[in-house]
Amino acid sequence: DKLFRLDGSYLDYADGGQRKVHLYCRDDFKRQQRFLQEEVLGNGALGWILGPPGIGKTLTAFAFCLSLDMEEWSVTLVRIRPDMNMICIQIVDREVKKCNIAGAKMEQMLTEWTDKKKKLLILDGYLKDSVPQLEVYGKLNSWRDVDRTSRRLAVLTSMASRGKTYPEWDKMAQLKVHHVLSWAVEEYLQAVQYDEVYEQVSPFLDASNMSSGELTGPEGQETREGRVRTKHYFAGGSCRYMFGTSTADVIEALREAMASVANIEAVVKGHEGH
């Protein structure tokens, strides 16, 4: 109930190509899956799932798709990239097909998706400020509108908000929004109590021992809690940084992000940035 196991070969772009992935089912994992089940599949809503990058929105959505009854549903997951060369994973009758498609060929892919089952399409990595991505989003909305009884669409984005919205259009589109929260240190600590998870993420809990002796074991070695709390200083609420990125790479990414900011004081005070 607290762990979800899936074949990582489905998710080469999302998890670094691990053959087996153990996901800790924190409360936000369950809430996101419930939103997809009840609002998107059940009520036919156009689902928007928002949250900071690296907190598990994509893997949670994939886990949901793989748990569906494939006698009833077929699934297409599209990871949209800045260069508009999109990664597409399609699951029909448990058969998995992967390909790269250009944005201009999105309509062709939808036209060729001809099985008679209900269809769920998930658009991952969407950024509203990109004109080409807006065009893709428009095509997917048009595809959904052709047959809302059997077609479902959900959007995953790391944008802080949807920006300017139009309530009347949202109502006609049956648009519903779900927010996913960053990880709390208590959730990390709960996750590593499971040996499968700890063995999977242990190589990334590699921060220098900056903690007090109370977080070490009798032989002077860091406990699981000590390793998590030390890494949390650098990774914060990003599960990707905590459990999937070395500390050195996290530090480098943070330095690059800080160097790109024109006024770091305004960001620290919360006047700019997300």
Side-chain angles (χ1 to χ4, degrees), residues 5 15 35 37 56-59 79 99 105 112 122 129 131 142 161 168 187 231 234-235 253 265 268:
R5 298 168 179 83
D15 66 21
F35 173 79
Q37 181 65 55
K57 301 183 299 295
T58 299
L59 284 177
R79 171 69 174 180
C99 64
K105 293 187 176 181
E112 294 174 352
I122 294 180
D129 291 337
V131 172
S142 297
S161 73
E168 291 184 0
E187 291 174 318
K231 181 67 179 289
F234 301 98
E265 182 179 356
V268 171

Side-chain angles (χ1 to χ4, degrees), residues 233-252:
Y233 176 83
F234 301 98
S238 170
C239 184
R240 181 185 301 152
Y241 278 178
M242 173 63 82
F243 288 156
T245 310
S246 71
T247 303
D249 287 344
V250 171
I251 292 172
E252 182 61 26

Side-chain angles (χ1 to χ4, degrees), residues 25-36:
C25 304
R26 65 183 185 128
D27 288 344
D28 270 76
F29 177 97
K30 296 176 181 179
R31 281 193 286 265
Q32 181 178 330
Q33 292 216 338
R34 189 160 54 245
F35 173 79
L36 287 167

Side-chain angles (χ1 to χ4, degrees), residues 81-117:
R81 302 189 299 193
D83 62 3
M84 294 306 294
N85 286 316
M86 294 174 284
I87 302 170
C88 178
I89 299 176
Q90 193 167 80
I91 308 171
V92 181
D93 293 326
R94 294 289 175 186
E95 180 181 354
V96 181
K97 299 178 181 179
K98 302 179 187 177
C99 64
N100 292 330
I101 60 172
K105 293 187 176 181
M106 175 63 73
E107 288 177 300
Q108 179 181 341
M109 184 273 290
L110 294 173
T111 300
E112 294 174 352
W113 190 8
T114 56
D115 64 273
K116 302 300 182 182
K117 301 177 182 181

Side-chain angles (χ1 to χ4, degrees), residues 52-69:
I55 60 173
K57 301 183 299 295
T58 299
L59 284 177
T60 301
F62 281 5
F64 175 78
C65 292
L66 293 173
S67 69
L68 291 176
D69 179 359

